[in-house]
């Protein structure tokens, strides 16, 4: 077994979220795929549509040295005005000179990011947001992903009303896919592969489907998480058996496949993702879910940022995964302020094995997600007495003859995943029947890593087992696998892999926005592709347990669908504000949500405003709303040029007179450099979204070294939709320890508005962080 076969969590293949670092790959010679932004108002009169104009422009380009004509891929109507095409450098130079050309970017490649959760989220059939929202009735969620497995029980349309008349989407015909595969749950399915193919990837070679059908399972998983129908008896090899249901079970799903499998990985071309988002807007989706990411470049060079801005203008809510590059600071993806950026948290369910040593002498519980309902009774257990290298199952320390048919016990190695991987390799090499590992790595392992019958126990229990082993003459062990543990504490925790703020491209807005379940999430899978390998076999499954911010993103898309079903007129910013200001901060052990990596309390740079709480989000009292113009003023504040803003926002009707980095966001971040004392002013406007008039009082919790003044401290609202403004000054005194290594990074407090004689409480985090330049040597955020 090589490291490539076994991929422990920190290098986990099954952790989904794609970011490929290569920015563009050559098609042939100097021909490359480009995304060309055009100014439609420069279109000459004879053309009836901008598509005709682009096609005509391409046909008139003089042929390049290799004599190959340009190839048109897509014309974009909603996400931007323009098109994508394969062009030589000479073609590109000519296009750059035609009137109406605004900008050109080479195509980039993005990668994928990867049910008990409705219960964990507090969703109830007869109370709260579920019945209030009609379970998401008639809201359409567009999922940009790897496709969908339409036959999955999670997409059955039992009891769904007819497809909304406003829907324009279609079900595309392709490899093993036709219009009969859609129903009243899956109402649209399309596939966008032109850009992928131009990068030299051959879909039939990789065995992916050239159609909306899902090859890898990721899109089936995310879609069913957001809006899967109720299914009885779903399970993962006997674990987690029970009812599986999506967050918005009455919402509709439309799949826009723009991610394809290539070699070992999923890839997507920016051109295809833009085409998918363009089509989703055209078709009339209400919410978009994107569990993928491109390298975090300037926003006008990032397809998701561009597509999401167009969606914003149409009132479409866009949920994106924050990335799986944690736990270091400044690792956020999809950090544009008009996107809702979702981090991943754990849930209160775990997978265990019960160990009995000898004749009931000692019982211990450990972690195992081994997918067989296995009970091993009194098998001999081997421990390398007195020889350290044997005790820790070091490479080539064990003799296969000694361990054949036995379980091995491997003592703790203080060497992280590397050491643990070596032990696993030794277990495999020697053909031991199974193993007990004393290791603190257990919680970092993905379900998929449990491809042999082993269990990890914490090093403290490991000492007990070791004592038993060294004293017993003829040690045996009995192990019961496949035990589910509910109510584990603490939960939620911030998943170790979840990307952390601030956002590199726009640190003046706190990211991630919020935390949602993203660890060991059970949802629908493709039934024909082996998921879990056991010995020489791949086991097939209809439902898979997966981790990643890819999994947390569709939870929030589903919640947004529920909120839209209740509050039709709310903007995307209002929906996000409702979720953020009602999020919770305390775990089920009554402490601030901790970081799984360190076990220490997390900060808003890890969990944003906290963990999403859908029932509370339904009735937030007040919201911080944001208009399209405000985002433009923010881009001006970031010093984007007029042309960049035009490319990104699709409008040229703006000025940068009101350039402003202080967006009306429901969170506050102060970016520090090496000065000792700094003072920052924020101005915010609150909108009352509850019925009637109300009065709210500000309450501030600020840590030492942070002084917060709110003015006025009491605000009143005349009625529904009335607005009130306040100012807040945050002064940070770094004292003499103003180094980026100081404890002031991620130092945080809260501003909470309490309704006087009412039930609403509107809370926002206030957090400080060092600027990227000065935090180079600081990987960790700290309270
Ligand atoms: C065990 O090792 C063999 C030989 O190197 C390898 O082919 C196999 O994939 C490994 N088994 C597991 C479960 O990783
Ligand atoms: C679609 O394909 C299925 C088989 O997968 C077939 O039974 C059905 O007749 C096809 N429908 C159409 C409209 O072609
Ligand atoms: C793609 O791969 C298939 C199967 O290997 C092959 O038959 C086909 O010619 C390839 N197509 C291109 C364009 O390379
Ligand atoms: C420990 O075991 C290894 C592998 O069996 C062996 O090479 C080594 O000599 C042993 N060391 C001692 C001190 O017995
Ligand atoms: C050790 O245990 C095994 C399994 O319980 C048993 O078959 C064997 O006789 C025992 N040997 C001794 C020496 O007690
Ligand atoms: C924008 O440019 C101005 C003037 O050069 C500068 O003072 C300011 O710091 C810049 N803002 C950002 C966010 O870089
Ligand atoms: C341009 O923006 C202004 C102010 O926002 C607005 O009043 C005007 O209608 C806009 N013009 C066009 C052509 O959209
Ligand atoms: C550091 O912060 C101060 C106060 O906000 C500002 O004046 C200064 O330009 C900043 N320096 C750098 C290097 O960003
Ligand atoms: C907030 O501060 C600005 C500038 O200092 C001031 O003009 C405005 O009146 C203040 N607003 C409130 C509500 O206090
Ligand atoms: C700022 O901190 C430095 C040490 O980092 C100290 O030398 C200096 O006196 C401090 N300045 C003020 C104004 O407190
Ligand atoms: C911080 O990250 C860098 C690479 O990004 C790494 O070389 C360094 O070891 C890390 N430092 C700590 C303390 O983790």
């Amino acid at each position: 077994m090589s490291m490539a076969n076994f991929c422990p969590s920190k290098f986990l293949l099954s952790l989904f979220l794609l970011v490929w670092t290569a920015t563009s790959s050559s098609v042939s010679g100097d021909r490359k795929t480009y995304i060309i932004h055009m100014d439609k108002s420069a279109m000459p009169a004879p053309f009836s549509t901008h598509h005709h104009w682009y096609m005509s422009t391409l046909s008139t380009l003089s042929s390049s040295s290799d004599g190959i004509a340009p190839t048109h891929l897509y014309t974009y109507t909603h996400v931007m005005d323009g098109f994508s095409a394969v062009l030589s450098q000479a073609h590109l130079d000519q296009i750059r000179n035609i009137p109406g050309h605004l900008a050109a970017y080479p195509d980039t490649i993005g990668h994928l990011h990867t049910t008990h959760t409705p219960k964990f989220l507090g969703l109830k059939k007869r109370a709260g947001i579920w019945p209030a929202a009609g379970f998401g009735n008639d809201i359409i969620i567009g999922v940009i992903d790897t496709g969908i497995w339409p036959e999955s029980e999670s997409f059955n349309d039992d009891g769904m009303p007819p497809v909304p008349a406003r829907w324009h989407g279609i079900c595309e015909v392709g490899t093993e896919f036709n219009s009969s595969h859609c129903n009243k749950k899956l109402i649209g399915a399309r596939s966008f592969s032109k850009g992928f193919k131009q990068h030299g990837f051959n879909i039939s070679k990789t065995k992916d489907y050239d159609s909306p059908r899902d090859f890898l399972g990721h899109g089936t998983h995310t879609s069913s998480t957001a809006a899967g129908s109720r299914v009885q008896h779903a399970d993962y090899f006997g674990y987690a058996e029970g009812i599986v249901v999506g967050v918005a079970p009455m919402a509709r799903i439309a799949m826009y496949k723009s991610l394809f499998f290539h070699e070992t990985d999923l890839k997507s071309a920016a051109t295809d993702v833009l085409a998918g988002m363009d089509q989703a807007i055209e078709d009339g989706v209400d919410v978009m879910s994107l569990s993928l990411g491109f390298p975090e470049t300037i926003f006008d060079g990032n397809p998701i940022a561009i597509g999401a801005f167009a969606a914003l203008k149409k009132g479409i809510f866009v949920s994106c995964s924050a990335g799986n590059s944690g736990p270091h600071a400044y690792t956020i993806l999809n950090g544009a302020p008009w996107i809702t950026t979702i981090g991943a948290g754990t849930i209160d369910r775990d997978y265990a094995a019960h160990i009995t040593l000898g004749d009931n002498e000692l019982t211990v519980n450990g972690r195992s997600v081994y997918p067989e309902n296995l009970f091993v009774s009194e098998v001999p257990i081997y421990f390398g007495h007195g020889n350290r290298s044997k005790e820790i199952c070091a490479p080539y320390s064990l003799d296969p003859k000694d361990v054949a048919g036995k379980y091995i016990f491997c003592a703790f190695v203080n060497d992280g995943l590397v050491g643990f991987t070596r032990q696993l390799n030794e277990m495999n090499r020697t053909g031991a029947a199974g193993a007990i590992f004393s290791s603190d790595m257990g919680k970092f392992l993905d379900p998929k890593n449990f491809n042999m019958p082993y269990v990890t126990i914490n090093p403290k229990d490991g000492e007990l087992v070791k004592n038993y082993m060294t004293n017993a003459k003829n040690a045996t062990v009995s192990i019961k696998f496949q035990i589910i543990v509910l109510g584990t504490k603490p939960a939620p925790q911030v998943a170790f892999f979840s990307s952390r703020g601030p956002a590199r491209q726009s640190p003046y807005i706190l990211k991630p926005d919020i935390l949602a379940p993203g660890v060991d999430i059970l949802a629908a899978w493709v039934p024909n592709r082996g998921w879990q390998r056991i010995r020489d076999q791949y086991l097939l499954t209809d439902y898979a347990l997966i981790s990643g911010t890819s999994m947390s993103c569709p939870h929030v898309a589903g919640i947004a669908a529920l909120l839209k079903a209740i509050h039709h007129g709310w903007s995307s910013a209002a929906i996000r504000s409702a979720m953020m200001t009602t999020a919770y901060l305390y775990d089920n052990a009554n402490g601030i949500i901790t970081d799984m990596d360190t076990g220490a309390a997390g900060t808003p740079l890890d969990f944003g405003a906290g963990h999403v709480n859908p029932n509370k989000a339904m009735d937030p009292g007040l919201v911080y709303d944001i208009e399209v113009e405000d985002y433009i003023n923010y881009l001006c504040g970031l010093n984007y040029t007029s042309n960049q803003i035009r490319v990104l926002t699709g409008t040229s009707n703006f000025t940068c007179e009101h350039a402003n980095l202080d967006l009306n966001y429901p969170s506050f971040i102060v970016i520090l450099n090496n000065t000792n004392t700094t003072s920052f002013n924020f101005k915010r406007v609150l909108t009352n979204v509850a019925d009637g008039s109300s009065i709210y009082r500000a309450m501030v919790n600020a840590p030492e070294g942070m002084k917060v003044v709110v003015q006025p401290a009491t605000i009143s609202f005349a009625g529904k939709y009335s607005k009130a403004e306040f100012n807040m000054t945050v002064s940070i005194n770094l004292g003499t320890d103003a180094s980026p290594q100081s404890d002031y990074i991620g130092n945080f407090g809260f501003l909470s508005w309490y309704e006087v004689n009412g039930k609403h409480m509107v809370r926002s985090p206030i957090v400080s962080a060092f600027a990227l330049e000065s935090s180079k040597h600081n990987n960790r955020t700290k309270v």
Side-chain angles (χ1 to χ4, degrees):
M1 189 168 77
S2 67
M3 282 294 282
N5 288 328
F6 176 72
C7 285
S9 46
K10 298 219 169 168
F11 329 97
L12 217 58
L13 274 180
S14 42
L15 246 180
F16 286 115
L17 183 140
L18 313 180
V19 177
W20 204 26
T21 40
T23 46
S24 71
S25 90
S26 186
V27 176
S28 76
D30 71 342
R31 279 163 54 89
K32 281 183 186 157
T33 306
Y34 293 93
I35 297 163
I36 315 287
H37 295 261
M38 300 289 286
D39 175 4
K40 228 161 77 176
S41 68
M43 179 170 83
F47 296 106
S48 55
T49 69
H50 70 142
H51 176 68
H52 286 119
W53 176 34
Y54 307 148
M55 294 307 278
S56 161
T57 302
L58 285 171
S59 71
T60 57
L61 298 181
S62 57
S63 61
S64 48
S65 49
D66 56 10
I68 303 174
T71 310
H72 170 268
L73 297 182
Y74 301 102
T75 290
Y76 304 110
T77 304
H78 301 281
V79 288
M80 54 179 264
D81 289 328
F83 60 96
S84 52
V86 184
L87 304 168
S88 65
Q89 187 60 44
H91 291 145
L92 182 67
D93 293 343
Q94 289 173 58
I95 284 182
R96 281 196 164 130
N97 285 323
I98 63 170
H101 169 266
L102 290 177
Y105 290 101
D107 198 7
T108 50
I109 293 283
H111 288 211
L112 264 184
H113 288 205
T114 290
T115 27
H116 175 63
T117 50
K119 194 168 172 194
F120 186 70
L121 289 169
L123 299 172
K124 294 197 176 82
K125 249 168 122 175
R126 287 183 188 83
I129 193 170
W130 253 5
F135 301 87
N137 191 24
D138 272 1
I139 300 298
I140 302 165
I141 304 179
V143 183
I144 315 289
D145 214 303
T146 63
I148 196 158
W149 193 267
E151 293 86 356
S152 167
E153 261 303 290
S154 284
F155 307 123
N156 82 67
D157 64 355
D158 297 348
M160 304 274 311
V163 174
R166 64 195 166 91
W167 176 243
H168 304 302
I170 62 155
C171 208
E172 198 175 272
V173 177
T175 312
E176 297 185 38
F177 211 94
N178 65 36
S179 57
S180 312
H181 288 113
C182 284
N183 60 15
K184 288 177 282 181
K185 163 60 71 180
L186 175 63
I187 63 171
R190 309 197 47 153
S191 168
F192 302 87
S193 60
K194 287 179 187 170
F196 179 81
K197 289 171 183 164
Q198 288 298 338
H199 279 280
F201 303 137
N202 181 338
I203 293 179
S204 45
K205 218 164 165 176
T206 63
K207 302 194 176 58
D208 200 332
Y209 304 93
D210 204 353
S211 78
R213 185 171 290 277
D214 191 1
F215 174 73
L216 200 88
H218 188 272
T220 301
H221 201 276
T222 55
S223 311
S224 63
T225 298
S229 298
R230 197 179 174 79
V231 178
Q232 307 279 349
H233 309 304
D235 78 318
Y236 175 73
F237 308 120
Y239 276 106
E241 194 189 4
I243 293 162
V244 163
V245 61
V247 173
M250 288 298 275
R252 322 293 178 135
I253 297 167
M255 171 55 63
Y256 298 87
K257 175 170 174 176
S258 17
L259 288 142
F260 293 84
F261 186 70
H262 178 72
E263 288 169 0
T264 56
D265 212 349
L266 285 161
K267 288 186 166 54
S268 67
T271 43
D272 294 334
V273 169
L274 273 174
M277 295 180 87
D278 201 55
Q279 190 65 51
I281 294 170
E282 170 74 31
D283 292 349
V285 304
D286 303 301
V287 173
M288 268 194 229
S289 183
L290 292 100
S291 292
L292 67 144
F294 286 82
E296 197 68 352
T297 57
I298 46 160
F299 297 137
D300 50 311
N302 183 310
I304 297 177
I306 292 174
F309 203 98
L312 162 83
K313 290 195 290 181
K314 303 269 178 178
I316 300 167
F317 182 91
V318 180
S319 174
C320 290
S321 38
N324 296 338
S325 320
H328 300 322
Y330 284 102
T331 47
I332 289 284
L333 295 179
N334 297 316
W338 50 91
I339 289 173
T340 300
T341 313
I342 321 300
T346 63
I347 57 177
D348 64 347
R349 180 171 70 184
D350 206 0
Y351 305 86
H354 186 75
I355 303 168
T356 307
L357 287 149
D359 195 10
N360 284 324
E361 276 194 51
L362 183 63
T363 63
V364 179
N365 280 325
R367 183 166 195 267
S368 181
V369 199
Y370 183 67
E372 269 185 321
N373 188 1
L374 193 63
F375 176 65
V376 280
S377 179
E378 294 198 43
V379 292
I381 178 158
Y382 178 87
F383 178 61
H385 292 277
N387 183 325
R388 182 70 187 144
S389 78
K390 284 184 176 181
E391 279 180 19
I392 62 168
C393 306
Y396 294 93
S397 65
L398 305 182
D399 186 340
K401 285 201 294 278
D402 291 341
V403 303
K406 294 181 186 160
Y407 268 56
I408 53 175
F409 172 70
C410 302
F412 180 67
V413 276
N414 188 14
D415 203 7
L417 280 167
V418 174
F420 181 72
T421 305
R422 285 203 195 107
Q423 293 184 326
L424 259 187
N425 286 343
E426 183 65 357
M427 173 194 179
N428 183 39
R429 185 190 70 82
T430 56
I436 300 171
F437 295 103
S438 170
S439 170
D440 53 10
M441 287 294 112
K443 64 181 175 181
F444 297 117
L445 300 176
D446 189 77
K448 238 182 145 162
N449 298 144
F450 288 87
N451 54 9
M452 296 181 285
Y454 68 83
V455 44
T456 63
I457 59 178
N458 71 50
K460 229 171 84 198
D461 288 341
E463 279 304 306
L464 298 177
V465 173
K466 196 172 155 184
N467 278 343
Y468 163 79
M469 301 282 320
T470 29
N471 295 324
K473 289 264 147 7
N474 190 3
T476 61
V477 65
S478 305
I479 303 181
K480 175 74 186 84
F481 284 91
Q482 277 214 337
I483 292 169
I484 289 252
V485 186
L486 287 175
T488 56
K489 289 182 181 180
Q493 287 189 293
V494 180
F496 65 92
F497 56 76
S498 192
S499 288
R500 310 303 160 94
R504 272 167 195 267
Q505 293 297 326
S506 126
Y508 314 100
I509 297 301
L510 173 63
K511 292 283 176 174
D513 290 310
I514 203 160
L515 207 63
V519 176
D520 296 348
I521 303 303
L522 185 75
W525 198 248
V526 291
N528 64 338
R529 222 182 111 72
W531 165 244
Q532 169 71 283
R533 197 166 84 168
I534 297 298
R535 293 179 280 276
D536 295 334
Q537 272 183 18
Y538 275 102
L539 306 183
L540 301 179
T541 181
D542 290 344
Y543 288 86
L545 271 182
I546 310 188
S547 301
T549 51
S550 275
M551 282 64 243
S552 53
C553 164
H555 278 95
V556 169
I559 295 165
L562 297 174
L563 291 171
K564 281 210 151 208
I566 298 173
H567 304 291
H568 288 284
W570 282 15
S571 69
S572 298
I575 290 173
R576 174 175 56 197
S577 175
M579 289 193 217
M580 287 175 66
T581 60
T582 58
Y584 64 86
L585 288 169
Y586 291 90
D587 60 28
N588 61 3
N590 300 319
I592 290 262
I593 294 171
T594 54
D595 180 341
M596 182 179 172
D597 195 49
T598 58
T603 82
L605 297 171
D606 306 314
F607 53 62
H611 194 282
V612 68
N613 188 356
N615 289 318
K616 277 263 164 77
M618 180 168 72
D619 181 19
L622 309 175
V623 296
Y624 293 84
D625 206 355
I626 304 176
E627 310 277 339
V628 173
E629 277 161 67
D630 303 328
Y631 290 114
I632 293 176
N633 291 336
Y634 180 78
L635 291 167
C636 294
L638 286 176
N639 291 336
Y640 275 48
T641 65
S642 297
N643 197 51
Q644 283 180 297
I645 295 173
R646 189 170 174 179
V647 160
L648 180 52
T649 65
T651 178
S652 51
N653 183 21
F654 65 88
T655 68
C656 275
E657 265 169 57
H658 304 291
N660 181 12
L661 286 173
D662 187 18
L663 201 52
N664 196 39
Y665 221 77
S667 59
F668 302 87
I669 184 167
V670 169
I671 296 294
L672 305 168
N673 52 32
N674 290 318
T675 52
N676 304 20
T677 308
T678 14
S679 183
F680 298 82
N681 299 312
F682 299 92
K683 178 178 163 252
R684 292 288 189 274
V685 178
L686 282 160
T687 306
N688 182 21
V689 290
D691 292 326
S693 60
S694 52
I695 299 172
Y696 282 80
R697 253 187 218 127
M699 204 146 97
V700 171
N701 291 43
E704 208 179 314
M706 182 189 279
K707 190 167 157 248
V708 179
V709 176
V710 179
Q711 246 176 346
T714 303
I715 49 179
S716 53
F717 298 89
K720 197 167 187 177
Y721 304 127
S722 76
K723 292 176 189 284
E725 175 187 305
F726 68 92
N727 290 326
M728 187 173 89
T729 307
V730 178
S731 311
I732 308 250
N733 183 359
L734 292 173
T736 49
D737 182 20
S739 74
Q741 281 76 25
S742 78
D743 283 358
Y744 290 92
I745 297 148
N747 207 12
F748 68 98
F750 292 92
L751 164 65
S752 310
W753 289 101
Y754 282 88
E755 186 179 8
V756 177
N757 299 324
K759 60 178 175 175
H760 297 110
M761 196 262 280
V762 185
R763 183 174 52 206
S764 296
I766 308 166
V767 64
S768 61
F770 272 96
L772 179 59
E773 314 79 65
S774 47
S775 68
K776 280 206 181 86
H777 305 293
N778 184 75
N779 300 348
R780 284 290 318 139
T781 59
K782 222 170 140 189
V783 181

